[in-house]
Amino acid sequence: MATDDGPQGRSVGASWGARPFIALVRGYQRWISPALPPTCRFYPSCSAYAVEALQVHGLFRGAALAAWRLLRCAPWHPGGVDEVPPASPARRTSPDGSRADPRTRPAENHEEQAPC
């Protein structure tokens, strides 16, 4: 899933449910944030973090990550660099639809198997 911005700052690759929330954050970044003094103790800023979290993780997990980030933005927290965690890889499934367990895979090198 791409996380780059397309033309006019539109979100490319974001889920359809997350796009309205990304637009709200973009509106905050464009019209409200410039009128406020820069006080964010994190890098990237909380609004940039929220946009990236929504693009990478979708509506529910992205919103939860953004809310957790806002809750940590308090005077007693030191701040610092806080990147959005990468999206978890898709679970691999076997052809029959069950989860593939690498411990139960057949040996790929048949010469290593003991003869019966």
Side-chain angles (χ1 to χ4, degrees):
M1 181 182 306
T3 59
D4 296 330
D5 286 342
Q8 292 90 30
R10 288 191 329 231
S11 302
V12 175
S15 69
W16 285 100
R19 289 182 183 186
F21 293 95
I22 292 171
L24 286 173
V25 175
R26 294 274 188 214
Y28 166 81
Q29 288 176 327
R30 184 170 183 161
W31 290 295
I32 298 172
S33 182
L36 301 173
T39 58
C40 194
R41 58 183 69 242
F42 287 104
Y43 177 82
S45 68
C46 291
S47 59
Y49 183 94
V51 168
E52 186 178 352
L54 288 166
Q55 288 174 339
V56 171
H57 295 286
L59 177 60
F60 296 110
R61 182 146 194 252
L65 287 168
W68 180 244
R69 169 75 175 266
L70 289 172
L71 289 172
R72 287 183 291 149
C73 190
W76 56 86
H77 196 284
V81 177
D82 183 24
E83 299 290 333
V84 173
S88 55
R91 293 184 182 185
R92 297 188 320 178
T93 58
S94 62
D96 65 355
S98 63
R99 285 193 51 197
D101 187 357
R103 295 173 293 181
T104 60
R105 275 195 325 228
E108 294 182 18
N109 187 352
H110 298 286
E111 295 172 3
E112 294 178 10
Q113 294 179 351
C116 297

PDB file of all heavy atoms in Angstrom, residues 83-108:
ATOM      1  N   GLU A  83       8.249   7.273  15.164  1.00  0.00           N
ATOM      2  CA  GLU A  83       7.777   6.905  13.834  1.00  0.00           C
ATOM      3  C   GLU A  83       6.552   6.008  13.925  1.00  0.00           C
ATOM      4  O   GLU A  83       6.366   5.302  14.910  1.00  0.00           O
ATOM      5  CB  GLU A  83       8.881   6.169  13.067  1.00  0.00           C
ATOM      6  CG  GLU A  83      10.130   6.995  12.849  1.00  0.00           C
ATOM      7  CD  GLU A  83       9.942   8.138  11.875  1.00  0.00           C
ATOM      8  OE1 GLU A  83       9.059   8.031  10.988  1.00  0.00           O
ATOM      9  OE2 GLU A  83      10.667   9.129  11.989  1.00  0.00           O
ATOM     10  N   VAL A  84       5.744   6.034  12.888  1.00  0.00           N
ATOM     11  CA  VAL A  84       4.588   5.134  12.793  1.00  0.00           C
ATOM     12  C   VAL A  84       5.123   3.716  12.601  1.00  0.00           C
ATOM     13  O   VAL A  84       6.007   3.493  11.767  1.00  0.00           O
ATOM     14  CB  VAL A  84       3.690   5.529  11.603  1.00  0.00           C
ATOM     15  CG1 VAL A  84       2.581   4.515  11.386  1.00  0.00           C
ATOM     16  CG2 VAL A  84       3.111   6.913  11.809  1.00  0.00           C
ATOM     17  N   PRO A  85       4.630   2.748  13.372  1.00  0.00           N
ATOM     18  CA  PRO A  85       5.104   1.370  13.174  1.00  0.00           C
ATOM     19  C   PRO A  85       4.715   0.869  11.788  1.00  0.00           C
ATOM     20  O   PRO A  85       3.662   1.249  11.258  1.00  0.00           O
ATOM     21  CB  PRO A  85       4.407   0.577  14.277  1.00  0.00           C
ATOM     22  CG  PRO A  85       3.286   1.416  14.730  1.00  0.00           C
ATOM     23  CD  PRO A  85       3.631   2.836  14.429  1.00  0.00           C
ATOM     24  N   PRO A  86       5.547   0.021  11.206  1.00  0.00           N
ATOM     25  CA  PRO A  86       5.210  -0.502   9.877  1.00  0.00           C
ATOM     26  C   PRO A  86       3.977  -1.393   9.937  1.00  0.00           C
ATOM     27  O   PRO A  86       3.650  -1.952  10.980  1.00  0.00           O
ATOM     28  CB  PRO A  86       6.449  -1.303   9.475  1.00  0.00           C
ATOM     29  CG  PRO A  86       7.143  -1.608  10.750  1.00  0.00           C
ATOM     30  CD  PRO A  86       6.795  -0.508  11.715  1.00  0.00           C
ATOM     31  N   ALA A  87       3.310  -1.496   8.818  1.00  0.00           N
ATOM     32  CA  ALA A  87       2.142  -2.374   8.731  1.00  0.00           C
ATOM     33  C   ALA A  87       2.594  -3.806   8.923  1.00  0.00           C
ATOM     34  O   ALA A  87       3.637  -4.209   8.427  1.00  0.00           O
ATOM     35  CB  ALA A  87       1.455  -2.208   7.381  1.00  0.00           C
ATOM     36  N   SER A  88       1.827  -4.566   9.674  1.00  0.00           N
ATOM     37  CA  SER A  88       2.188  -5.960   9.891  1.00  0.00           C
ATOM     38  C   SER A  88       1.997  -6.719   8.587  1.00  0.00           C
ATOM     39  O   SER A  88       1.048  -6.470   7.844  1.00  0.00           O
ATOM     40  CB  SER A  88       1.357  -6.572  11.003  1.00  0.00           C
ATOM     41  OG  SER A  88      -0.005  -6.419  10.721  1.00  0.00           O
ATOM     42  N   PRO A  89       2.896  -7.664   8.295  1.00  0.00           N
ATOM     43  CA  PRO A  89       2.758  -8.408   7.044  1.00  0.00           C
ATOM     44  C   PRO A  89       1.483  -9.225   7.041  1.00  0.00           C
ATOM     45  O   PRO A  89       1.020  -9.664   8.087  1.00  0.00           O
ATOM     46  CB  PRO A  89       3.992  -9.309   7.004  1.00  0.00           C
ATOM     47  CG  PRO A  89       4.433  -9.414   8.420  1.00  0.00           C
ATOM     48  CD  PRO A  89       3.996  -8.134   9.100  1.00  0.00           C
ATOM     49  N   ALA A  90       0.960  -9.418   5.865  1.00  0.00           N
ATOM     50  CA  ALA A  90      -0.265 -10.221   5.739  1.00  0.00           C
ATOM     51  C   ALA A  90       0.033 -11.640   6.176  1.00  0.00           C
ATOM     52  O   ALA A  90       1.111 -12.175   5.939  1.00  0.00           O
ATOM     53  CB  ALA A  90      -0.754 -10.206   4.303  1.00  0.00           C
ATOM     54  N   ARG A  91      -0.913 -12.247   6.830  1.00  0.00           N
ATOM     55  CA  ARG A  91      -0.739 -13.632   7.279  1.00  0.00           C
ATOM     56  C   ARG A  91      -0.745 -14.548   6.071  1.00  0.00           C
ATOM     57  O   ARG A  91      -1.590 -14.430   5.187  1.00  0.00           O
ATOM     58  CB  ARG A  91      -1.857 -14.028   8.231  1.00  0.00           C
ATOM     59  CG  ARG A  91      -1.794 -13.280   9.517  1.00  0.00           C
ATOM     60  CD  ARG A  91      -2.850 -13.778  10.445  1.00  0.00           C
ATOM     61  NE  ARG A  91      -2.804 -13.022  11.674  1.00  0.00           N
ATOM     62  CZ  ARG A  91      -3.548 -13.283  12.714  1.00  0.00           C
ATOM     63  NH1 ARG A  91      -4.394 -14.292  12.678  1.00  0.00           N
ATOM     64  NH2 ARG A  91      -3.470 -12.562  13.797  1.00  0.00           N
ATOM     65  N   ARG A  92       0.207 -15.434   6.071  1.00  0.00           N
ATOM     66  CA  ARG A  92       0.268 -16.392   4.974  1.00  0.00           C
ATOM     67  C   ARG A  92      -0.709 -17.516   5.256  1.00  0.00           C
ATOM     68  O   ARG A  92      -0.831 -17.991   6.377  1.00  0.00           O
ATOM     69  CB  ARG A  92       1.669 -16.934   4.815  1.00  0.00           C
ATOM     70  CG  ARG A  92       2.639 -15.848   4.447  1.00  0.00           C
ATOM     71  CD  ARG A  92       3.991 -16.368   4.105  1.00  0.00           C
ATOM     72  NE  ARG A  92       4.439 -17.446   4.963  1.00  0.00           N
ATOM     73  CZ  ARG A  92       5.580 -18.066   4.806  1.00  0.00           C
ATOM     74  NH1 ARG A  92       6.386 -17.707   3.863  1.00  0.00           N
ATOM     75  NH2 ARG A  92       5.926 -19.052   5.613  1.00  0.00           N
ATOM     76  N   THR A  93      -1.392 -17.942   4.213  1.00  0.00           N
ATOM     77  CA  THR A  93      -2.326 -19.052   4.369  1.00  0.00           C
ATOM     78  C   THR A  93      -1.956 -20.149   3.385  1.00  0.00           C
ATOM     79  O   THR A  93      -1.386 -19.893   2.329  1.00  0.00           O
ATOM     80  CB  THR A  93      -3.781 -18.616   4.129  1.00  0.00           C
ATOM     81  OG1 THR A  93      -3.880 -18.061   2.823  1.00  0.00           O
ATOM     82  CG2 THR A  93      -4.230 -17.589   5.155  1.00  0.00           C
ATOM     83  N   SER A  94      -2.312 -21.338   3.732  1.00  0.00           N
ATOM     84  CA  SER A  94      -2.067 -22.460   2.839  1.00  0.00           C
ATOM     85  C   SER A  94      -3.197 -22.516   1.814  1.00  0.00           C
ATOM     86  O   SER A  94      -4.213 -21.844   1.964  1.00  0.00           O
ATOM     87  CB  SER A  94      -1.983 -23.757   3.649  1.00  0.00           C
ATOM     88  OG  SER A  94      -3.200 -23.984   4.300  1.00  0.00           O
ATOM     89  N   PRO A  95      -3.048 -23.327   0.768  1.00  0.00           N
ATOM     90  CA  PRO A  95      -4.090 -23.382  -0.265  1.00  0.00           C
ATOM     91  C   PRO A  95      -5.464 -23.752   0.257  1.00  0.00           C
ATOM     92  O   PRO A  95      -6.472 -23.352  -0.306  1.00  0.00           O
ATOM     93  CB  PRO A  95      -3.576 -24.445  -1.244  1.00  0.00           C
ATOM     94  CG  PRO A  95      -2.104 -24.468  -1.039  1.00  0.00           C
ATOM     95  CD  PRO A  95      -1.890 -24.118   0.415  1.00  0.00           C
ATOM     96  N   ASP A  96      -5.544 -24.513   1.357  1.00  0.00           N
ATOM     97  CA  ASP A  96      -6.863 -24.884   1.865  1.00  0.00           C
ATOM     98  C   ASP A  96      -7.471 -23.800   2.755  1.00  0.00           C
ATOM     99  O   ASP A  96      -8.554 -23.974   3.296  1.00  0.00           O
ATOM    100  CB  ASP A  96      -6.808 -26.221   2.607  1.00  0.00           C
ATOM    101  CG  ASP A  96      -5.954 -26.149   3.868  1.00  0.00           C
ATOM    102  OD1 ASP A  96      -5.333 -25.098   4.116  1.00  0.00           O
ATOM    103  OD2 ASP A  96      -5.920 -27.152   4.599  1.00  0.00           O
ATOM    104  N   GLY A  97      -6.771 -22.662   2.905  1.00  0.00           N
ATOM    105  CA  GLY A  97      -7.323 -21.547   3.668  1.00  0.00           C
ATOM    106  C   GLY A  97      -6.883 -21.498   5.111  1.00  0.00           C
ATOM    107  O   GLY A  97      -7.107 -20.516   5.792  1.00  0.00           O
ATOM    108  N   SER A  98      -6.265 -22.565   5.608  1.00  0.00           N
ATOM    109  CA  SER A  98      -5.801 -22.543   6.987  1.00  0.00           C
ATOM    110  C   SER A  98      -4.471 -21.813   7.048  1.00  0.00           C
ATOM    111  O   SER A  98      -3.776 -21.685   6.046  1.00  0.00           O
ATOM    112  CB  SER A  98      -5.659 -23.959   7.523  1.00  0.00           C
ATOM    113  OG  SER A  98      -4.675 -24.650   6.773  1.00  0.00           O
ATOM    114  N   ARG A  99      -4.132 -21.330   8.225  1.00  0.00           N
ATOM    115  CA  ARG A  99      -2.869 -20.610   8.377  1.00  0.00           C
ATOM    116  C   ARG A  99      -1.702 -21.560   8.161  1.00  0.00           C
ATOM    117  O   ARG A  99      -1.695 -22.664   8.642  1.00  0.00           O
ATOM    118  CB  ARG A  99      -2.762 -20.007   9.772  1.00  0.00           C
ATOM    119  CG  ARG A  99      -3.627 -18.796   9.917  1.00  0.00           C
ATOM    120  CD  ARG A  99      -3.332 -18.024  11.135  1.00  0.00           C
ATOM    121  NE  ARG A  99      -1.901 -17.732  11.241  1.00  0.00           N
ATOM    122  CZ  ARG A  99      -1.321 -17.360  12.355  1.00  0.00           C
ATOM    123  NH1 ARG A  99      -2.010 -17.233  13.443  1.00  0.00           N
ATOM    124  NH2 ARG A  99      -0.046 -17.112  12.401  1.00  0.00           N
ATOM    125  N   ALA A 100      -0.717 -21.080   7.432  1.00  0.00           N
ATOM    126  CA  ALA A 100       0.470 -21.889   7.195  1.00  0.00           C
ATOM    127  C   ALA A 100       1.380 -21.788   8.413  1.00  0.00           C
ATOM    128  O   ALA A 100       1.662 -20.707   8.895  1.00  0.00           O
ATOM    129  CB  ALA A 100       1.193 -21.389   5.956  1.00  0.00           C
ATOM    130  N   ASP A 101       1.795 -22.901   8.912  1.00  0.00           N
ATOM    131  CA  ASP A 101       2.706 -22.944  10.045  1.00  0.00           C
ATOM    132  C   ASP A 101       4.054 -23.435   9.531  1.00  0.00           C
ATOM    133  O   ASP A 101       4.144 -24.552   9.023  1.00  0.00           O
ATOM    134  CB  ASP A 101       2.161 -23.884  11.118  1.00  0.00           C
ATOM    135  CG  ASP A 101       2.973 -23.841  12.398  1.00  0.00           C
ATOM    136  OD1 ASP A 101       3.995 -23.115  12.431  1.00  0.00           O
ATOM    137  OD2 ASP A 101       2.593 -24.522  13.352  1.00  0.00           O
ATOM    138  N   PRO A 102       5.102 -22.604   9.636  1.00  0.00           N
ATOM    139  CA  PRO A 102       6.388 -23.031   9.082  1.00  0.00           C
ATOM    140  C   PRO A 102       6.932 -24.281   9.747  1.00  0.00           C
ATOM    141  O   PRO A 102       7.741 -24.980   9.163  1.00  0.00           O
ATOM    142  CB  PRO A 102       7.300 -21.831   9.338  1.00  0.00           C
ATOM    143  CG  PRO A 102       6.615 -21.000  10.342  1.00  0.00           C
ATOM    144  CD  PRO A 102       5.153 -21.298  10.238  1.00  0.00           C
ATOM    145  N   ARG A 103       6.502 -24.615  10.945  1.00  0.00           N
ATOM    146  CA  ARG A 103       6.987 -25.822  11.609  1.00  0.00           C
ATOM    147  C   ARG A 103       6.413 -27.082  10.996  1.00  0.00           C
ATOM    148  O   ARG A 103       6.955 -28.163  11.157  1.00  0.00           O
ATOM    149  CB  ARG A 103       6.651 -25.779  13.090  1.00  0.00           C
ATOM    150  CG  ARG A 103       7.373 -24.644  13.816  1.00  0.00           C
ATOM    151  CD  ARG A 103       6.877 -24.540  15.201  1.00  0.00           C
ATOM    152  NE  ARG A 103       5.472 -24.101  15.112  1.00  0.00           N
ATOM    153  CZ  ARG A 103       4.693 -23.870  16.152  1.00  0.00           C
ATOM    154  NH1 ARG A 103       5.133 -24.070  17.355  1.00  0.00           N
ATOM    155  NH2 ARG A 103       3.461 -23.441  15.986  1.00  0.00           N
ATOM    156  N   THR A 104       5.288 -26.980  10.285  1.00  0.00           N
ATOM    157  CA  THR A 104       4.652 -28.166   9.715  1.00  0.00           C
ATOM    158  C   THR A 104       4.862 -28.270   8.213  1.00  0.00           C
ATOM    159  O   THR A 104       4.247 -29.101   7.571  1.00  0.00           O
ATOM    160  CB  THR A 104       3.147 -28.166  10.016  1.00  0.00           C
ATOM    161  OG1 THR A 104       2.571 -26.992   9.438  1.00  0.00           O
ATOM    162  CG2 THR A 104       2.892 -28.207  11.507  1.00  0.00           C
ATOM    163  N   ARG A 105       5.698 -27.395   7.657  1.00  0.00           N
ATOM    164  CA  ARG A 105       5.980 -27.468   6.220  1.00  0.00           C
ATOM    165  C   ARG A 105       6.778 -28.723   5.925  1.00  0.00           C
ATOM    166  O   ARG A 105       7.642 -29.117   6.709  1.00  0.00           O
ATOM    167  CB  ARG A 105       6.813 -26.262   5.778  1.00  0.00           C
ATOM    168  CG  ARG A 105       6.018 -25.054   5.464  1.00  0.00           C
ATOM    169  CD  ARG A 105       6.860 -24.062   4.710  1.00  0.00           C
ATOM    170  NE  ARG A 105       8.256 -24.072   5.168  1.00  0.00           N
ATOM    171  CZ  ARG A 105       8.957 -23.002   5.462  1.00  0.00           C
ATOM    172  NH1 ARG A 105       8.426 -21.822   5.357  1.00  0.00           N
ATOM    173  NH2 ARG A 105      10.207 -23.097   5.857  1.00  0.00           N
ATOM    174  N   PRO A 106       6.562 -29.337   4.785  1.00  0.00           N
ATOM    175  CA  PRO A 106       7.389 -30.482   4.422  1.00  0.00           C
ATOM    176  C   PRO A 106       8.809 -30.013   4.122  1.00  0.00           C
ATOM    177  O   PRO A 106       9.019 -28.882   3.712  1.00  0.00           O
ATOM    178  CB  PRO A 106       6.706 -31.046   3.172  1.00  0.00           C
ATOM    179  CG  PRO A 106       5.890 -29.935   2.644  1.00  0.00           C
ATOM    180  CD  PRO A 106       5.522 -29.072   3.825  1.00  0.00           C
ATOM    181  N   ALA A 107       9.766 -30.861   4.343  1.00  0.00           N
ATOM    182  CA  ALA A 107      11.158 -30.513   4.074  1.00  0.00           C
ATOM    183  C   ALA A 107      11.317 -30.240   2.584  1.00  0.00           C
ATOM    184  O   ALA A 107      10.777 -30.972   1.742  1.00  0.00           O
ATOM    185  CB  ALA A 107      12.070 -31.637   4.517  1.00  0.00           C
ATOM    186  N   GLU A 108      12.066 -29.208   2.256  1.00  0.00           N
ATOM    187  CA  GLU A 108      12.248 -28.868   0.848  1.00  0.00           C
ATOM    188  C   GLU A 108      13.368 -29.694   0.227  1.00  0.00           C
ATOM    189  O   GLU A 108      13.369 -29.946  -0.959  1.00  0.00           O
ATOM    190  CB  GLU A 108      12.510 -27.381   0.718  1.00  0.00           C
ATOM    191  CG  GLU A 108      11.301 -26.564   1.115  1.00  0.00           C
ATOM    192  CD  GLU A 108      11.522 -25.082   0.949  1.00  0.00           C
ATOM    193  OE1 GLU A 108      12.444 -24.690   0.227  1.00  0.00           O
ATOM    194  OE2 GLU A 108      10.743 -24.331   1.543  1.00  0.00           O
TER     195      GLU A 108
END
